[in-house]
Amino acid sequence: MRTEQKAPDQPGSDDRAARLAVTVFPVLVLLAGAAGLLTPGAFAGWTESVPYLLGVVMFCMGLTMTPLDFKGVARRPWAVGIGLAAHYVIMPGLGWLIAHALGLPPQLAAGVILVGCAPSGTASNVVTFLARGDVALSVSVATVSTVLAPLVTPPLTLLLAGAYLPVDAGSMMADILKTVLLPVVGGLLVRLFAGRFVDRVLGVMPWLSSLAVASIVCAVVAGSADAIKGAALSVLVAVVLHNGLGLALGYGAGKVTGLGRPASRAMAFEVGMQNSGLAASLATAHFSPLAALPAAVFSVWHNVSGALVAAWMSHSARRDQGEAAGTRPATATAPVRRRRGGLRPGIDRPSRRGLGREADRTATPE
């Protein structure tokens, strides 16, 4: 039986907070990139700090996690499995095809492929919320794809990018464990054992993480400022194609497998949006700052495109609901049960006041 989770009735305050997040974050990252490009000498030596900055982002992400994130996986393993398979098949494959079709030089080709092999970007949770999609599914896929990244990202990168540059999959796996999995687990444990204290500071976490991601982009751009000027157009084309096709094919994967519209919206963002901070860190450590350029551009672009696509999907969802009810689309919201919490870092998650209720809803027959 095909199942579909109903789109959320979103309270206005949570909606405004999420929109602010996806508006401010790309602007902040764009300004950081411009600073690195225009005054690269001012950020000399920042490249070495990229793994530590990523660790801050992932620790903040762990602080926002609760057991409910993992319960969602157990409730709908089939849907989560489809999301993971689509993510780790579509985006790596697209990265290889685009790099090959555009004839990118080895460093940039490896960087584009590495972006595709990264886990889901948790900014996808925010835009799924804005798109009136299946937020519980989005959180579950983003969480599991991050946990599996040490086992999946290195061999995929070796398979697809090994023809362009040497890839040390073992060393890459160790780096992902140190900079992603351990900080996430550490943050989760702190949340479990010091929940009251964490609740008081959760509001600061998204902005702390945003500054860390912006610093990563600044360091990456400054490290290859001269090469960027000649490669900027080709990288932008590659990133726009990669992200756009990922969003479209992700939505199509949800529809083809019968997950329904809200879940398909979530699938679009879980496939098309990547953890570009991780990709930038790995590219810098294992390839070069130039190879990290696609990840830096992706970090800006996928938030802009995600917000635009989410707005269009939200409008379509309200229109469809209005037509089904025989009335004009309404924006009024029903009372909802709220939970305390904050944005997942790096604009990586809308307020759990808006998301928590979704984790408690079960899928209903379509």
Side-chain angles (χ1 to χ4, degrees), residues 118-361:
S120 174
T122 44
S124 58
N125 302 158
V126 175
V127 291
T128 298
F129 175 72
L130 294 177
R132 303 175 68 83
D134 189 333
V135 181
L137 177 61
S138 175
V139 172
S140 296
V141 174
T143 300
V144 178
S145 70
T146 299
V147 172
L148 292 179
L151 299 177
V152 179
T153 297
L156 276 177
T157 305
L158 174 61
L159 175 66
L160 299 175
Y164 291 97
L165 291 175
V167 177
D168 187 342
S171 177
M172 187 176 290
M173 182 181 297
D175 282 350
I176 298 176
L177 285 170
K178 290 186 294 184
T179 61
V180 175
L181 198 57
L182 288 181
V184 168
V185 172
L188 177 59
L189 291 175
V190 171
R191 178 71 183 271
L192 289 175
F193 292 104
R196 290 188 178 182
F197 171 77
V198 172
D199 284 341
R200 296 192 188 102
V201 299
L202 272 180
V204 179
M205 293 300 103
W207 308 110
L208 174 61
S209 184
S210 298
L211 289 173
V213 172
S215 298
I216 291 173
V217 171
C218 184
V220 167
V221 172
S224 55
D226 293 335
I228 286 173
K229 297 173 183 178
L233 181 59
S234 59
V235 171
L236 180 61
V237 171
V239 166
V240 171
L241 286 174
H242 202 181
N243 171 244
L245 291 173
L247 291 171
L249 293 177
Y251 184 86
K255 295 295 288 184
V256 167
T257 52
L259 294 181
R261 288 185 180 178
S264 295
R265 295 183 199 120
M267 288 277 288
F269 301 118
E270 288 310 313
V271 171
M273 301 183 73
Q274 302 293 92
N275 189 332
S276 49
L278 172 61
S281 176
L282 292 176
T284 301
H286 294 271
F287 302 139
S288 71
L290 180 61
L293 179 59
V297 176
F298 203 99
S299 183
V300 179
W301 175 253
H302 79 156
N303 284 283
V304 174
S305 66
L308 293 174
V309 172
W312 174 70
M313 286 184 173
S314 179
H315 174 75
S316 299
R318 290 194 299 268
R319 182 190 60 204
D320 293 343
Q321 289 174 356
E323 290 175 355
T327 61
R328 295 175 61 187
T331 58
T333 59
V336 295
R337 180 157 53 95
R338 293 174 176 262
R339 296 175 62 226
R340 299 181 66 186
L343 293 176
R344 180 165 281 188
I347 315 312
D348 289 337
R349 196 169 198 170
S351 169
R352 284 189 177 272
R353 295 173 182 172
L355 293 184
R357 63 183 183 280
E358 286 304 302
D360 294 329
R361 292 186 181 183

